[in-house]
Amino acid sequence: EDKVVQSPLSLVVHEGDTVTLNCSYEVTNFRSLLWYKQEKKAPTFLFMLTSSGIEKKSGRLSSILDKKELFSILNITATQTGDSAIYLCAVTYSGGSNYKLTFGKGTLLTVNP
Amino acid sequence: KAGVTQTPRYLIKTRGQQVTLSCSPISGHRSVSWYQQTPGQGLQFLFEYFSETQRNKGNFPGRFSGRQFSNSRSEMNVSTLELGDSALYLCASSPGRSGGVGTDTQYFGPGTRLTVL
């Protein structure tokens, strides 16, 4: 069965720390891997990764994909309390003419002042 | 630009009833995807509509259906509601030019919280 696994499930850090969130996947016909941040309600898009080894960066957040080892990491440097959220990883894959998208269970990040 | 809007925001139904949820995408976006989020199962993909056609589909039973109108607004219908259908239902819109769901940036709406009693 296709699946997406995120680790750790939860993480508590202090402001200023650097964190690394992991997402591994087992799907056939991989298309893309996406990272989202979910605070109160709706997820907000962070990154879409399709190629191995190319780092995507946005401010203090960065992410990279390894298609050989089937995982991605999301790094957050100099964490702030506003980074507290659930971080979701999702993988898109195709089966014939149909695309599917599967989410991991998420990593709950708590940043304490 | 206005964001993705969903109506209603909260809904309470009883088992056996049916429900219709609405999603208005960002202007110019032609793809609308629907998701179910529960504490136990997390976020799960229901289906995607593009240009009034269901383009992609997740693994939900036929009780879950949808449609899209010519103005890209989409509705999702759940028939014969079960207690397990209680969830936050999210829709997301994207330009949809790249092909399937998840191949371009999606913008999520605030969701509809459905409670089935």
Side-chain angles (χ1 to χ4, degrees), chain B residues 18-65:
Chain B
Q18 75 165 15
V19 66
T20 298
L21 312 181
S22 180
C23 173
S24 293
I26 291 171
S27 177
H29 285 189
R30 295 169 64 191
S31 167
V32 174
S33 299
W34 287 91
Y35 300 86
Q36 181 196 66
Q37 188 170 33
T38 59
Q41 297 299 318
L43 198 54
Q44 295 182 279
F45 170 64
L46 282 153
F47 33 65
E48 181 210 12
Y49 281 85
F50 178 79
S51 291
E52 301 179 63
T53 301
Q54 187 180 88
R55 184 162 66 172
N56 296 291
K57 189 176 186 304
N59 298 322
F60 279 76
R63 299 186 297 109
F64 292 82
S65 62

Side-chain angles (χ1 to χ4, degrees), chain A residues 72-109:
Chain A
S72 173
I73 59 172
L74 175 68
N75 280 319
I76 308 175
T77 59
T79 52
Q80 303 171 356
T81 55
D83 295 327
S84 296
I86 297 172
Y87 290 84
L88 294 163
C89 166
V91 172
T92 301
Y93 52 102
S94 61
S97 60
N98 187 42
Y99 282 75
K100 291 184 188 284
L101 189 152
T102 297
F103 283 85
K105 292 287 195 279
T107 293
L108 174 61
L109 174 65

Side-chain angles (χ1 to χ4, degrees), chain A residues 2-74:
Chain A
D2 298 321
K3 60 182 181 180
V4 178
V5 177
Q6 292 187 246
S7 63
L9 289 181
S10 66
L11 191 55
V12 181
V13 301
H14 289 104
E15 268 192 317
D17 288 350
T18 293
V19 298
T20 298
L21 310 183
N22 303 289
C23 176
S24 64
Y25 61 91
E26 287 182 43
V27 301
T28 52
N29 299 316
F30 171 91
R31 294 284 295 185
S32 64
L33 186 144
L34 306 108
W35 284 98
Y36 292 90
K37 177 183 181 182
Q38 186 171 26
E39 295 173 86
K40 299 286 187 186
K41 286 280 174 65
T44 54
F45 172 83
L46 294 175
F47 299 111
M48 180 174 71
L49 303 155
T50 56
S51 301
S52 259
I54 298 176
E55 185 183 52
K56 292 275 183 98
K57 196 168 171 65
S58 176
R60 296 176 294 103
L61 278 66
S62 63
S63 183
I64 197 161
L65 173 67
D66 186 327
K67 289 168 73 173
K68 182 180 177 186
E69 300 298 329
L70 309 183
F71 77 92
S72 173
I73 59 172
L74 175 68

